[in-house]
Amino acid sequence: MPVEIPVEKWNGQVHQVKLGGAGGRKELVVGGENTLPFLKFEGNIPHRPAVAIEVVDQPPQGWAEPLVKAWGNVLQDPAAWAKKAAEYGADLISLRLRSAHPEEGNTGADHARKVVAAVLAAVDLPVIVLGPEVAQKDNEVLVAASEVGRGQRLGLGDCLDKNYRTIGATCLADGHVAIAKTPIDMNLAKQLNILLSDLGLPLDAILMDPTTGALGYGLEYTYSVMERLRITALMGDKMTSPPMICTAGEESWRQKESKATAGVPQSWGEQEQRAILWEKITAIGLLNAGANVIVLRHPRTVEDVKAAINKLSA
Amino acid sequence: MALTGIEIYKFLPKTNCKKCGFPTCLAFAMKVAQKTVNITTCPDLSAESRAALEAAGRPPIQLVTLGSDSKKLEVGNETVMFRHEKTFFHPPGLVLRVKDNAPADSLQQQVQAAAEYKVERVGRFLTMDGFAVENTSKDAATFAKAVEAVKSKSDLPLVLISQDPAAMEAALAKATPGRPLIYAANKDNWEKMADLAVKNKCPLAVSSNGALDDLTALVDQVSKKGIEEIVLDPGARDFGPSLSTLTQIRRLALKKNFRPLGYPVITFPGEAAASLDTEAMLAAQQVAKYAGIIVLDHFSPALVYPLLTMRLNIYTDPQKPIQVTPQIVQIGTPKATSPVCITTNFSLTYFAIAGELEAAGWAAWLVVCDTEGLSVLTAWAAGKFDAEKIAKSVKNFKIADNVSHRNVVIPGHVAVLRGELEEELPDWKILVGPREAVDVGGFLKQNWKN
């Protein structure tokens, strides 16, 4: 008796979003699938998830030892760091303009222009530029970054409900993609997409960041919000159909499990292995929930996550 | 698949005899459908009707129990594809594979380390669930001896791995009672393995590397022997095949009510992995995507702690807000001059603020108020996070005994409570913190003088 393989009939599909592909930059397309993550027996998945490596515009404060060890001197120089990231197999670079944070340097638009220009000159990969997560500073440095990268289809974020007009308009004017971030909530994610659409930004110029909870720190919330967003998109809701981006590296390396070198229970095991695995497992969980771009920190995570994506996409 | 009242009614005698205690057969059927009364309360139910009802009422994925009553592992009986649809019920068992030809000391050491392992997370102890003993030696006596050695160090449930019925019989003699899982019946040995499962009252794993058709045929054969508790091994090993095949099996069981594949699945992530980390990543995927029992080839704390955390996360009931215990939490090693911050006991809120304080390098006293698991704004709107409640927590937890200052930081979203709180806590100065946890580091840097 042959078993009939059950296949869902989805009416919708994830929007295709292109990054780079102009101004000498390599093209990267994510999204476009009309089925759940990696279910090739059911639908068409034209593009596999992409792996971004996070680069920070100044030597990062308080990064865990395994990260510092892995990257070494390039932590001092974002352009060299981005180059190294490309060698480690990044599909794109996620550049965080941390130095613009009022507490961590309070640099302004001029500095942002220089750093973004240096990174763009150093690699031909697509680049995402993220602000320091302080609304007014975000606007200042992201608008500057937008001008420098005009026509090169960067990603710009975070685009939040409180600054979506500025970031959305900049993306529209300079031809970039907005990283629309909302706090682990399906309706807020949809709402922000609607607001950006009303502004005139097309859905193929949006990546949704549903806010990443690391393993042990809210992963299950992100996981389920992503599954719900994806299922809703596949059922035909255009306003939940942009691809999703997850900052797995940043979130998992913030946690005690990744940072603590001493004074933790023996049952936590050896730090370096535990910390890297914390990032890897956060990543594999989110990829299975529908992440189209996963932003990572440790080179060994990049290697293993890329291998897993290849196997899942084969 | 649960039956409706009307469907159950069709099987009843329809005499309205009231012997069940209900006025009509239909009323009784409705109660049965709600699971408040057992169908056997009807004294006149025919044997055929009863069998039909029991078959129809069987869960779409069979519950399978390994181990003895005191240390048992229950897997299966899942009802949804996605955890947000309801919840996942039975976390997959994580068992460690050991080989029967390993030297006795090393075998016992491996077992002891994994059996004793426990790690605490949000007030719960997470542990391994059992051992899989493999008949690598192909020798029956060695296999039996290894099972004995494992049992001398752990009373956790066992999986016995051998293709040879004679070796399996020898091992079962040492492993029962204790309901080990027999792994596995295949197309060549299934009859003998099924007989052993019946004789020893053990669950049986059925393994087939071919298409699901072959697995289905094999399950049908062993079911006819009267075996109800079956575990499936569809042979899918690597990331891609595992995800596709396990998704298909779960869908067939839940959406098509396809009986022959309505059983939990056993996976072997180590067999497709070139490194320990890859094994753990694949196991993590299988935690989320539909494994019932996961056989690991390696054990170390750094490997299983993230994996057990993954399992805890995915199998948390999304219908219930997860709460942390209301208490004073010490972030880092706080001193008498360290900040006092107020938060709610919704786990995500708690993790956000605790994580940000930690990340910003602050040692602090975090006062977790009982808001019945609601976040800051929700709890405030529901009247569960007001000045009175915060004051009560500050007093009850005696935070004043721990610090030399009298400053307390409240979340920015409840800035409106400041005035009332100053009345409730006249000795304290109320500082309104940032709205978002991410800004707490910057806020303290500006506003807190150590």
Side-chain angles (χ1 to χ4, degrees), chain A residues 2-4 6 8 41-42 103 215-216 220-221 223-224 227-228 254 257 267-268 280 288 311, chain B residues 82-84 117-119 121 213 216 238 248 251-252 255 277 285 289 305 313 322 347 356 445:
Chain A
V3 178
E4 197 185 325
E8 301 277 350
F41 69 87
E42 175 165 279
E103 301 294 328
L215 176 65
E220 70 274 32
Y221 295 91
Y223 181 91
S224 283
E227 287 203 325
R228 290 173 60 205
R254 287 157 61 84
E257 277 78 359
S267 54
W268 284 22
K280 288 176 180 174
N288 271 288
K311 286 176 164 183
Chain B
F82 303 100
R83 58 187 293 282
H84 65 258
Y117 180 79
K118 61 176 178 179
V119 62
R121 223 183 145 78
D213 305 6
T216 302
D238 216 335
Q248 290 167 1
R251 276 190 189 169
L252 281 162
K255 305 214 157 197
D277 279 22
Q285 171 181 297
K289 294 297 177 187
Y305 176 36
N313 281 176
I322 331 167
S347 69
E356 292 296 343
K445 205 168 168 186

Side-chain angles (χ1 to χ4, degrees), chain B residues 165-205:
Chain B
M168 188 59 74
E169 188 165 19
L172 278 166
K174 303 292 181 191
T176 49
R179 286 180 64 80
L181 172 66
I182 299 175
Y183 179 97
N186 58 34
K187 64 180 186 340
D188 302 319
N189 69 9
W190 69 268
E191 193 147 21
K192 285 182 175 163
M193 287 295 191
D195 288 340
L196 285 173
V198 171
K199 185 176 153 211
N200 292 283
K201 299 189 179 63
C202 291
L204 176 66

Side-chain angles (χ1 to χ4, degrees), chain A residues 164-165 180 182 186-203 206 208 237-242:
Chain A
Y164 77 93
R165 285 174 183 281
T182 45
M186 159 131 163
N187 292 322
L188 294 177
K190 182 172 172 170
Q191 170 79 5
L192 187 52
N193 292 339
I194 293 172
L195 291 172
L196 284 167
S197 298
D198 288 350
L199 209 61
L201 194 69
L203 288 167
I206 299 175
M208 290 192 284
D237 180 3
K238 294 241 178 306
M239 287 302 157
T240 53
S241 65

Side-chain angles (χ1 to χ4, degrees), chain A residues 161-194:
Chain A
D161 62 349
K162 53 190 169 201
N163 69 352
Y164 77 93
R165 285 174 183 281
T166 310
I167 306 301
T170 306
C171 288
L172 204 51
D174 293 334
H176 301 309
V177 172
I179 314 292
K181 185 172 184 175
T182 45
I184 319 193
D185 184 296
M186 159 131 163
N187 292 322
L188 294 177
K190 182 172 172 170
Q191 170 79 5
L192 187 52
N193 292 339
I194 293 172

Side-chain angles (χ1 to χ4, degrees), chain B residues 23-323:
Chain B
T24 64
C25 288
L26 185 59
F28 173 68
M30 293 298 172
K31 291 291 172 190
V32 173
Q34 292 165 14
K35 299 199 181 353
T36 51
V37 184
N38 194 306
I39 186 69
T40 53
T41 313
C42 174
D44 300 327
L45 196 64
S46 70
E48 301 88 71
S49 293
R50 188 168 161 176
L53 278 169
E54 275 172 359
R58 217 195 80 182
I61 298 175
Q62 175 71 39
L63 183 72
V64 174
T65 308
L66 276 66
S68 57
D69 282 345
S70 59
K71 287 276 170 67
K72 66 180 171 187
L73 170 63
E74 291 183 319
V75 295
N77 203 9
E78 299 301 335
T79 60
V80 291
M81 296 297 300
F82 303 100
R83 58 187 293 282
H84 65 258
E85 293 175 310
K86 191 177 176 78
T87 184
F88 292 166
F89 290 97
H90 294 97
L94 291 176
V95 305
L96 176 66
R97 169 153 55 182
V98 293
K99 299 189 166 160
D100 70 349
N101 58 357
D105 314 0
S106 115
L107 183 78
Q108 290 189 339
Q109 270 169 20
Q110 283 181 63
V111 170
Q112 190 162 1
E116 286 175 355
Y117 180 79
K118 61 176 178 179
V119 62
E120 198 226 327
R121 223 183 145 78
V122 285
R124 292 174 60 179
F125 283 101
L126 314 179
T127 57
M128 296 286 288
D129 301 291
F131 295 93
V133 190
E134 180 170 284
N135 183 207
T136 318
S137 68
K138 313 273 182 209
D139 176 66
T142 309
F143 193 29
K145 220 171 147 190
V147 168
E148 237 179 343
V150 172
K151 277 184 79 87
S152 74
K153 289 291 170 191
S154 158
D155 55 358
L156 291 172
L158 296 182
V159 178
L160 305 177
I161 302 180
S162 178
Q163 312 305 322
D164 171 13
M168 188 59 74
E169 188 165 19
L172 278 166
K174 303 292 181 191
T176 49
R179 286 180 64 80
L181 172 66
I182 299 175
Y183 179 97
N186 58 34
K187 64 180 186 340
D188 302 319
N189 69 9
W190 69 268
E191 193 147 21
K192 285 182 175 163
M193 287 295 191
D195 288 340
L196 285 173
V198 171
K199 185 176 153 211
N200 292 283
K201 299 189 179 63
C202 291
L204 176 66
V206 171
S207 140
S208 167
N209 287 317
L212 289 179
D213 305 6
D214 301 338
L215 189 63
T216 302
L218 211 47
V219 171
D220 275 337
Q221 284 172 312
V222 305
S223 297
K224 289 200 181 99
K225 289 267 185 181
I227 297 167
E228 288 178 0
E229 297 196 24
I230 294 172
V231 173
L232 307 174
D233 175 12
R237 290 292 180 266
D238 216 335
F239 284 89
S242 173
L243 178 64
S244 300
T245 308
L246 271 59
T247 300
Q248 290 167 1
I249 290 174
R250 172 78 68 106
R251 276 190 189 169
L252 281 162
L254 294 184
K255 305 214 157 197
K256 305 288 175 194
N257 212 20
F258 186 68
R259 292 289 181 213
L261 297 181
Y263 299 96
V265 177
I266 186 168
T267 64
F268 299 85
E271 292 183 10
S275 72
L276 302 192
D277 279 22
T278 307
E279 178 180 347
M281 285 170 72
L282 181 49
Q285 171 181 297
Q286 290 165 342
V287 165
K289 294 297 177 187
Y290 313 138
I293 296 173
I294 299 171
V295 180
L296 297 174
D297 284 321
H298 299 90
F299 169 84
S300 82
L303 215 59
V304 297
Y305 176 36
L307 206 46
L308 288 166
T309 306
M310 178 71 176
R311 187 176 72 173
L312 181 70
N313 281 176
I314 295 295
Y315 277 77
T316 293
D317 186 349
Q319 303 161 113
K320 296 183 199 145
I322 331 167
Q323 309 187 11

